[in-house]
Amino acid sequence: MARIVMKFGGTSMAGIERIRNVANRVKHEVDAGNQVAVVVSAMAGETDRLVNFCREASPLYDPREYDVVVASGEQVTSGLLAIVLQSMGVNARSWLGWQLPIRTSDAHASARIADIDTERLNAALATGEVAVIPGFQGMADGDRVTTLGRGGSDTSAVAVAAAMKADRCDIYTDVDGVYTTDPRIVPRARKLSRVTYEEMLELASVGAKVLQTRSVGLAMKEKVRVRVLSSFDDSHDTEGHRGTLIVGDDEIEEGSMERQLITGIAHDKNEAKVTLVAVPDRPGAVATIFTPLADASINVDMIVQNVAHETGSTDVTFTVPKAELTRALDVLEKQKPVIGFERVLHATNVCKVSVVGVGMRSHAGVAATMFKALADRGINIQAITTSEIKVSVLIEDDYTELAVRVLHTAYGLDAEEEADA
């Protein structure tokens, strides 16, 4: 007997027929003798509809009441799935966030899970009952409903799996696993059977949309084995090689296919470039730029400081999320007398392309291969950032697909070049 958490996203829950499909998958696990908890998202598009209601009601809505409204989408799907499971003869019931309870911080619309009391949940599972839990929601002090931010159901599922010491957390989506890159751009992209937590965390943070970044970080911290697979795959083989396992580094053997130099290529067009021209070249100048941005909760990614001009000034370039560009520019203009820059330039026609892989730790020349492959195709690099297992470059967005294809081939990731593909 295994203890499993199954999470289903919005496309999997979009209508009664799809909910019946989900129920069949849950029943398969129950019939196999497993203890099952299910975490569900709202139906596809439902959360956006509820958010728009709040905005129409008042542009300056109370975030506590906003959470009450948007959390209702998951309440509907959890109740419907429990009803369908019961009609199939499966003992099931829904558990709302306050009934477990799932305790969170009081940062409404972006709360973080602090603790999950699983005593009642464990007792229910021991009787063979399937627990259906709405993702995305919890409860803060004062018994106020909270939500975890967009994509938060992934984090809910991993947190529940960690709290109930599940053997595995299965994340069902509309894709059948993690690929070496977006197969819509590179048809020869390969599906990976296993990826390390670190690699998945980097891939998620630089544009791969398979899992929410917070959920991967939590899985790594709590050592929860996560599997990504498709809810539209007709196979019910839970012990085979469907999907992609997200596991610890020790579970991927040396020399295996997944231990190659580069695991995947990701891209993110949600970037905006900002350049401050003629910033005084003096100690503390950079702090006057990035401290007010941090105080405004604006995340800065790539940073490039040019060689100082003979005039005693330098140019500083960095990127921010595209949605935060207007706020970032406003913060910088207000700080112009303190920072002392001459003018500010900005552009949104940029894209971040990244190569990720644990093999970088023991191999030299990864960045050189990337730079040469892009240069050979006339693709100019505007900024660079690195970590132990990642190299990212900022390029003009018109070259995104070409860059991804070129790099995928340069690192030998094309499926037809792999013996195990």
Side-chain angles (χ1 to χ4, degrees), residues 233-288:
D233 182 351
D234 291 334
S235 170
H236 288 296
D237 173 22
T238 58
E239 298 301 324
H241 297 288
R242 290 190 306 123
T244 299
L245 273 172
I246 318 297
V247 293
D249 197 56
D250 56 337
E251 286 201 45
I252 298 182
E253 297 178 357
E254 292 287 349
S256 71
M257 181 173 64
E258 284 73 32
R259 274 303 181 105
Q260 61 193 356
L261 179 61
I262 296 299
T263 296
I265 315 288
H267 69 282
D268 186 3
K269 291 188 175 182
N270 184 35
E271 294 280 331
K273 183 178 71 169
V274 178
T275 299
L276 298 184
V277 179
V279 176
D281 185 25
R282 61 171 184 261
V286 173
T288 64

Side-chain angles (χ1 to χ4, degrees), residues 112-271:
R112 291 189 172 270
I113 296 175
D115 179 63
I116 301 178
D117 186 345
T118 58
E119 182 178 354
R120 296 177 65 193
L121 177 62
N122 288 332
L125 293 173
T127 67
E129 180 179 278
V130 172
V132 184
I133 303 166
F136 180 58
Q137 66 173 241
M139 182 176 69
D141 291 342
D143 296 340
R144 296 302 303 246
V145 172
T146 57
T147 61
L148 309 182
R150 300 309 294 265
S153 292
D154 284 352
T155 300
S156 297
V158 172
V160 168
M164 59 185 267
K165 296 179 171 54
D167 297 283
R168 192 179 68 242
C169 178
D170 286 346
I171 307 287
Y172 286 83
T173 70
D174 53 0
V175 296
D176 61 349
V178 179
Y179 281 75
T180 48
T181 196
D182 187 339
R184 292 170 298 183
I185 295 177
V186 183
R188 292 175 294 179
R190 286 188 296 104
K191 181 164 67 72
L192 299 165
S193 60
R194 295 183 180 224
V195 177
T196 68
Y197 294 126
E198 289 177 280
E199 289 170 322
M200 193 66 241
L201 191 59
E202 289 282 19
L203 286 168
S205 69
V206 295
K209 308 248 182 334
V210 179
L211 288 174
Q212 187 203 43
T213 305
R214 277 173 61 188
S215 69
V216 182
L218 181 59
M220 181 166 65
K221 175 177 176 289
E222 300 293 338
K223 294 181 171 56
V224 176
R225 298 175 84 245
V226 176
R227 186 172 63 160
V228 178
L229 64 171
S230 173
S231 56
F232 304 106
D233 182 351
D234 291 334
S235 170
H236 288 296
D237 173 22
T238 58
E239 298 301 324
H241 297 288
R242 290 190 306 123
T244 299
L245 273 172
I246 318 297
V247 293
D249 197 56
D250 56 337
E251 286 201 45
I252 298 182
E253 297 178 357
E254 292 287 349
S256 71
M257 181 173 64
E258 284 73 32
R259 274 303 181 105
Q260 61 193 356
L261 179 61
I262 296 299
T263 296
I265 315 288
H267 69 282
D268 186 3
K269 291 188 175 182
N270 184 35
E271 294 280 331

Side-chain angles (χ1 to χ4, degrees), residues 71-86:
S72 65
E74 283 74 13
Q75 179 172 326
V76 170
T77 50
S78 60
L80 288 173
L81 179 57
I83 290 172
V84 173
L85 285 168
Q86 291 167 6

Side-chain angles (χ1 to χ4, degrees), residues 202 206 271 300-304 319 352-355 360 367 370-371 381-394:
E202 289 282 19
V206 295
E271 294 280 331
V300 174
D301 186 9
M302 300 174 154
I303 301 174
V304 177
T319 61
K352 179 170 64 178
V353 177
S354 308
V355 297
M360 290 187 194
M370 184 182 201
F371 302 155
I381 296 172
Q382 301 180 23
I384 303 167
T385 187
T386 66
S387 74
E388 189 179 21
I389 64 170
K390 176 199 72 181
V391 180
S392 297
V393 296
L394 193 71

